[in-house]
Amino acid sequence: IVSSCTNQRRNCKFRKIKPMKITDFKITYWEGEAERAIGDANGPYGSKRLPGSFLEIFTDEGITGYSLIGNGYVEKLFPLLEGKDPRSVIGLWKEMNDLVFKGGNEGERCDAISAIDLALWDLKAKIADQPLWKLLGSSTNSVKAYASGIDLNLTDDEIYKFYSRMADMGIDAGKLKVGLDLDLDERRLGIVKDALSKASDRPLLCIDSNEYWSPKQAIRFISKLEEKFDITWAEEPARRWDYNGLKKVSDNIKAAVATGENINDLAEFMPLIDNGAVDIVEIGMGTTGLTGAMKVANMAYAYELPVAMMNCPGNTMAHLATNLPNHMMMEVVDNGRELFFNTDHHIADGKIILGDKPGFGIDVDFDKLNELEVSKHSTPKHESYPFPRREGAGLIIKPLEKD
């Protein structure tokens, strides 16, 4: 048998991989409005504003990679990419990280690396004529979803309608924005539970205070909520980098502490994980792209920690989530922000189910994109996206003003 296999290998004609080159890129800045406003403890009155960008990376074979994020720093990184084979995604990711080494993988540098990395993965899968979930090695095209209204600005009726609609799609988990009024939080969490009970007798209830509380405030308020509710996780109950404070919260509540949404790479996750300050590791598009998110998820896996994928336009990061053995569930916002594109997926039985279109499955309506195009984004107003940190955060809670 060994001899036969050996002879087959000797007689095999190996297919030579044709070289391919990155030739150019284009960023389109756009601005529009979502169908529904979103709000949290730092921007409680909500905003529909959507400033965005769309990155295209072109090749000499006429295949184009798409990314739903990007910024002007891409231009500074592009000389490193030009003429390179787009299939060398992880190698190019490392080269980009090495290039920004001295200044750090922060801010616009991280956003640009993330955008390029995503476009390159889209390219790699398109070149292979495979959906990205399959190229990454997944054995399934579905991932558990949880509903997230980003809903502090919503009325009680609006909250019920949103989570009830999610439950109609089989989703039995939800995350409520909290932090400014304990009585209000209790009432609204009850509404979420009632709505999701259409899908499960014991829905998974999560809360998110968006770093508004101090660790001691978090312990007090979450403990009060836990007198009435079984809470799955409390997200960002203290500052994102405060591993002492986050561990203090985790040690003194029943719920898991979830964090990571607003940090970029392995260097920032390491002290949280190493000090036992995070129970559920959150990753997403901004975790230095798909490659960076994969590496953070692998580190979490080594510590037996689950990961949760953050929301993103078109739910495109579900492709990576299907590939992670320690993935718990992915955030779905569904507020009508996909203004110029569709993606090849649908939600059923509580799962994001990905299709078979190559790459991320992004289908762009360039006429609509051109209508939304701007030369630069408008200056956001206070309380508008992106939300600034609200007055009183970590010190004394400033309640919502009554109309």
Side-chain angles (χ1 to χ4, degrees), residues 247-284:
K247 186 178 189 307
K248 185 182 295 183
V249 176
S250 180
D251 288 345
N252 285 280
I253 64 172
K254 297 174 183 176
V257 163
T259 192
E261 174 183 12
N262 292 306
I263 56 180
N264 297 334
D265 60 17
L266 284 166
E268 294 176 297
F269 282 91
M270 188 177 295
L272 296 175
I273 292 175
D274 196 46
N275 287 281
V278 56
D279 303 306
I280 297 171
V281 178
E282 295 179 323
I283 57 175

Side-chain angles (χ1 to χ4, degrees), residues 287-308:
T287 316
T288 321
L290 187 147
T291 302
M294 187 190 305
K295 293 183 181 301
V296 171
N298 288 339
M299 180 170 66
Y301 187 54
Y303 282 81
E304 291 290 330
L305 291 175
V307 297

Side-chain angles (χ1 to χ4, degrees), residues 84-321:
K84 300 287 182 65
D85 190 324
R87 291 167 292 195
S88 304
V89 184
I90 295 176
L92 292 173
W93 181 88
K94 182 181 184 302
E95 288 185 43
M96 289 188 289
N97 275 273
D98 289 346
L99 186 67
V100 303
F101 162 72
K102 195 65 175 179
N105 179 24
E106 299 290 342
E108 66 174 3
R109 295 185 291 273
C110 176
D111 291 345
I113 294 172
S114 298
I116 292 169
D117 182 74
L118 292 165
L120 292 179
W121 277 111
D122 187 48
L123 260 174
K124 187 177 178 74
K126 285 177 176 176
I127 294 165
D129 196 28
Q130 290 184 327
L132 184 54
W133 63 267
K134 186 171 289 186
L135 181 79
L136 290 169
S138 301
S139 60
T140 176
N141 66 335
S142 66
V143 59
K144 180 176 175 58
Y146 75 90
S148 175
I150 313 185
D151 41 34
L152 209 144
N153 57 299
L154 300 186
T155 66
D156 290 1
D157 286 343
E158 289 169 334
I159 288 175
Y160 184 83
K161 288 178 181 177
F162 172 77
Y163 288 99
S164 178
R165 179 165 61 87
M166 296 291 103
D168 287 339
M169 292 186 279
I171 294 176
D172 65 355
K175 182 173 74 181
L176 180 75
K177 295 294 186 181
V178 300
L180 303 182
D181 185 321
L182 181 59
D183 293 334
L184 188 67
D185 294 342
E186 286 183 354
R187 187 179 81 235
R188 290 154 71 96
L189 196 55
I191 293 170
V192 174
K193 182 179 179 181
D194 289 344
L196 292 177
S197 292
K198 293 168 64 177
S200 171
D201 292 336
R202 293 185 64 84
L204 304 179
L205 302 177
C206 306
I207 58 172
D208 184 359
S209 51
N210 291 98
E211 304 181 63
Y212 189 73
W213 291 328
S214 69
K216 281 291 190 179
Q217 285 174 329
I219 293 166
R220 284 166 46 214
F221 293 130
I222 296 169
S223 295
K224 290 297 291 183
L225 290 173
E226 287 185 321
E227 291 177 6
K228 296 184 177 181
F229 301 100
D230 178 16
I231 298 175
T232 301
W233 81 55
E235 186 170 320
E236 293 186 326
R239 295 306 298 272
R240 66 194 74 172
W241 38 259
D242 183 7
Y243 59 81
N244 287 317
L246 289 166
K247 186 178 189 307
K248 185 182 295 183
V249 176
S250 180
D251 288 345
N252 285 280
I253 64 172
K254 297 174 183 176
V257 163
T259 192
E261 174 183 12
N262 292 306
I263 56 180
N264 297 334
D265 60 17
L266 284 166
E268 294 176 297
F269 282 91
M270 188 177 295
L272 296 175
I273 292 175
D274 196 46
N275 287 281
V278 56
D279 303 306
I280 297 171
V281 178
E282 295 179 323
I283 57 175
M285 296 175 82
T287 316
T288 321
L290 187 147
T291 302
M294 187 190 305
K295 293 183 181 301
V296 171
N298 288 339
M299 180 170 66
Y301 187 54
Y303 282 81
E304 291 290 330
L305 291 175
V307 297
M309 188 67 70
M310 301 307 302
N311 77 83
C312 63
N315 299 323
T316 52
M317 288 295 282
H319 285 270
L320 174 60

